[in-house]
């Protein structure tokens, strides 16, 4: 019996686009692309999500790949990305609140840097409904590594077979399944379709 619904964050509950920060701080399209690639499509970004590199070091390495004239903008993008690059997806809050009203435990398991614990309450829909939130940088591993799911189960006292996981990446769903947690890929933003999937489970009251 499914008792808990576990959500990914980015592109499931929250929209994400690193280019939004670049558009805010840079006017030239080519410059935006250069900074976007150096900052948001970088090995350092992954290392930040893993919690294995401090942000100041990551920024220095990102900037080293850019012309000097763009380094200031890259710093601004990094300092402010959480203000511009994330937004609540329409329909997400209603879904989370309906699941909570049906008696399910609500959890979040996301690959995200240590920046997120300071600002997630501003962007996660229906954040007051969540019974537990886990970011990858906190535990220095990432989905789809089995260790990430192990931390989720251990930290919140969850049984994998009682959880259903929703993520936009098939590999992450496969990783969860290997740990005993069923789930589905949600990447099209169709909350009506997702609700139909979740309506198959009996209420947990």
């Amino acid at each position: 019996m499914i008792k808990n619904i576990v959500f990914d964050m980015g592109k499931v509950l929250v929209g994400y686009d690193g280019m939004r920060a670049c558009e805010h701080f840079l006017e030239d399209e080519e410059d935006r692309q250069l900074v976007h690639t150096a900052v948001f499509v970088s090995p350092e970004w992954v290392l930040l999500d893993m919690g294995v590199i401090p942000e100041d070091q990551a920024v220095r390495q990102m900037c080293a790949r850019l012309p000097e004239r763009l380094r200031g903008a890259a710093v601004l993008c990094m300092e402010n990305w959480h203000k511009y690059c994330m937004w609540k997806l329409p329909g997400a809050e209603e879904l989370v609140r309906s699941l909570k009203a049906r008696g399910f435990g609500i959890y979040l398991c996301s690959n995200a840097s240590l920046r997120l614990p300071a600002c997630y309450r501003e962007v996660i829909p229906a954040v007051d409904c969540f019974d537990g939130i886990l970011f990858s940088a906190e535990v220095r591993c990432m989905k789809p590594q089995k260790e990430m799911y192990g931390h989720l189960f251990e930290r919140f006292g969850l049984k994998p077979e009682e959880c259903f996981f929703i993520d936009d990446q098939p590999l992450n769903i496969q990783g969860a399944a290997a740990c005993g947690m069923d789930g589905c890929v949600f990447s099209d933003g169709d909350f009506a379709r997702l609700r139909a999937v979740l309506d198959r489970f009996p209420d947990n009251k």
Side-chain angles (χ1 to χ4, degrees):
M1 180 177 176
I2 297 299
K3 297 182 179 180
N4 307 290
I5 308 299
V6 183
F7 288 95
D8 177 34
M9 182 176 65
K11 300 185 179 180
V12 172
L13 298 175
V14 175
Y16 173 79
D17 184 359
M19 184 59 77
R20 287 190 170 198
C22 300
E23 290 171 348
H24 185 82
F25 292 108
L26 292 152
E27 294 185 2
D28 182 79
E29 179 60 28
E30 186 174 342
D31 288 347
R32 290 171 177 172
Q33 292 292 342
L34 287 171
V35 171
H36 180 264
T37 299
V39 174
F40 298 106
V41 191
S42 67
E44 290 82 16
W45 192 262
V46 177
L47 294 174
L48 286 168
D49 280 356
M50 292 187 72
V52 297
I53 185 174
E55 193 165 301
D56 58 347
Q57 180 182 341
V59 172
R60 286 196 301 271
Q61 293 176 194
M62 292 169 176
C63 287
R65 291 193 291 270
L66 288 166
E68 188 170 351
R69 64 183 179 83
L70 295 179
R71 293 175 183 175
V75 171
L76 288 172
C77 287
M78 269 301 293
E79 288 178 347
N80 297 282
W81 68 265
H82 59 285
K83 300 176 184 177
Y84 300 104
C85 300
M86 297 184 294
W87 64 95
K88 297 177 182 179
L89 289 176
E93 178 154 356
E94 293 82 356
L95 177 63
V96 171
R97 292 197 182 281
S98 69
L99 291 167
K100 191 68 174 179
R102 292 174 59 196
F104 292 102
I106 307 294
Y107 296 88
L108 187 105
C109 182
S110 176
N111 289 345
S113 72
L114 288 174
R115 176 85 61 90
L116 266 297
C119 64
Y120 73 86
R121 292 188 175 278
E122 301 170 18
V123 296
I124 295 178
V127 68
D128 55 296
C129 292
F130 281 79
D131 298 287
I133 291 174
L134 178 66
F135 294 120
S136 57
E138 300 177 74
V139 290
R140 297 196 171 192
C141 56
M142 296 175 65
K143 299 174 297 182
Q145 290 177 289
K146 64 180 181 180
E147 291 83 2
M148 181 71 172
Y149 305 105
H151 282 294
L152 173 75
F153 304 141
E154 182 177 358
R155 177 174 292 192
F156 302 118
L158 304 176
K159 297 179 180 179
E161 66 274 14
E162 294 179 347
C163 299
F164 189 81
F165 184 43
I166 302 161
D167 196 291
D168 65 309
Q169 296 295 322
L171 278 176
N172 293 340
I173 295 298
Q174 293 168 19
C179 295
M181 176 168 61
D182 195 10
C184 71
V185 177
F186 176 66
S187 58
D188 60 4
D190 187 345
F191 282 98
R193 181 185 66 80
L194 179 58
R195 186 185 292 267
V197 171
L198 298 173
D199 280 347
R200 297 179 306 177
F201 303 134
D203 291 358
N204 187 40
K205 292 185 176 180

